[in-house]
């Protein structure tokens, strides 16, 4: 059975290379509710990563921009490729590092902080923490857990956008 969401790419299941394309049988092996939750998580992650990339684009220090770009890529990966039924629910070390709360400090050895508008720091920590938690949903009720985390990710992203609006900053 093909669902309206089945044409979208899914995370790679265990044992298959990340660059190997998903087959139609992979989509069909998933419950439609799980499939919808996986797509919901991926969409929320992409939106959050886009918001973080906007923060990266306005950094004068390229090292801070790169740290935020790594966080954005980590959000996308943690909310998509790292979430699959049957997975171990663990983040790779480089993902844990890129999604750590010290993303607020920016690049090490700069003696400056990233340029963030008032009110953007907490949403930044929240999107990183929520994305980092997404892979662990495979150990429980994946649709419920992933949907709740995706909702939180959307709320944190919206709060970040609202911080810009409230301060009158651009970005």
């Amino acid at each position: 059975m093909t669902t309206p969401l089945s044409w979208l790419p899914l995370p790679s299941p265990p044992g298959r290379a990340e660059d190997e394309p998903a087959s139609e049988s992979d989509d069909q092996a998933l419950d439609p509710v799980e499939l919808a939750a996986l797509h919901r998580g991926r969409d929320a992650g992409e939106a959050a990563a886009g918001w973080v990339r906007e923060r990266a684009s306005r950094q004068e220090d390229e090292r801070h921009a790169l740290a935020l770009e790594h966080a954005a890529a980590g959000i996308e990966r943690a909310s998509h490729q790292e979430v699959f039924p049957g997975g171990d629910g663990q983040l790779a070390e480089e993902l844990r590092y890129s999604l750590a709360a010290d993303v607020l400090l920016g690049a090490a050895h700069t003696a400056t902080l990233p340029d963030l508008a008032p009110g953007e720091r907490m949403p930044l920590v929240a999107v990183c923490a929520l994305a980092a938690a997404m892979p662990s949903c495979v150990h429980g009720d994946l649709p419920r857990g992933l949907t709740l985390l995706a909702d939180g990710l959307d709320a944190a992203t919206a709060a970040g956008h609202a911080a810009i609006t409230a301060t009158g900053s651009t970005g």
Side-chain angles (χ1 to χ4, degrees):
M1 177 177 130
T2 302
T3 67
L5 296 175
S6 65
W7 63 272
L8 297 171
L10 287 174
S12 299
R16 192 177 73 223
E18 197 171 302
D19 59 349
E20 185 180 325
S23 69
E24 190 172 324
S25 63
D26 291 337
D27 285 0
Q28 292 175 355
L30 293 174
D31 174 283
V33 176
E34 285 181 332
L35 184 61
L38 289 168
H39 289 291
R40 173 78 179 91
R42 187 212 46 217
D43 292 347
E46 287 177 356
W51 176 75
V52 173
R53 282 192 176 95
E54 290 170 5
R55 313 292 57 83
S57 71
R58 69 171 197 236
Q59 301 303 308
E60 288 186 29
D61 189 321
E62 286 186 35
R63 296 168 293 179
H64 289 318
L66 187 59
L68 288 166
E69 283 289 340
H70 284 298
I75 291 165
E76 286 178 333
R77 184 171 160 197
S79 65
H80 181 55
Q81 288 98 339
E82 297 294 315
V83 182
F84 50 84
D88 66 4
Q90 301 294 314
L91 285 177
E93 185 175 346
E94 75 273 7
L95 278 179
R96 285 193 307 270
Y97 178 75
S98 67
L99 296 175
D102 62 356
V103 71
L104 294 177
L105 302 176
H109 311 297
T110 61
T112 62
L113 295 174
D115 179 21
L116 297 170
E120 285 184 322
R121 294 189 189 287
M122 288 310 294
L124 180 58
V125 169
V127 297
C128 289
L130 290 161
M134 288 177 140
S136 68
C137 291
V138 302
H139 295 300
D141 182 350
L142 181 118
R144 179 180 169 272
L146 198 53
T147 300
L148 286 170
L149 291 173
D151 288 348
L153 201 52
D154 283 342
T157 303
H161 284 295
I164 291 295
T165 303
T167 62
S169 299
T170 60

